[in-house]
Amino acid sequence: MRSDGRIDKVLTAVRMSLAHAVVGKEAPAWVLEQVYELGDDRDLPVEARGESGGLPRPSAH
């Protein structure tokens, strides 16, 4: 079983890789939006919630 810290590092690496691909027009923006989609952020650390207390919602297409 993988630790929470290891899972977080892997997810961060995947998100950064996808962000790079989107910026380079190698992947559509909606792919990155799906990775960040959250239904509820109350279980996230305060640092991950942003200024408004929640993560920014993905923009609509």
Side-chain angles (χ1 to χ4, degrees), residues 9-32:
K9 289 177 183 176
V10 170
L11 288 175
T12 298
V14 168
R15 289 174 176 158
M16 296 307 293
S17 178
L18 284 173
H20 182 74
V22 168
V23 169
K25 307 284 188 210
E26 298 171 9
W30 64 264
V31 172
L32 191 58

Side-chain angles (χ1 to χ4, degrees), residues 31-57:
V31 172
L32 191 58
E33 292 173 358
Q34 295 298 311
V35 175
Y36 282 100
E37 185 174 323
L38 294 172
D40 188 355
D41 65 358
R42 289 180 285 180
D43 62 332
L44 294 175
V46 173
E47 300 83 20
R49 295 184 193 172
E51 294 177 10
S52 66
L55 291 176
R57 300 300 300 164

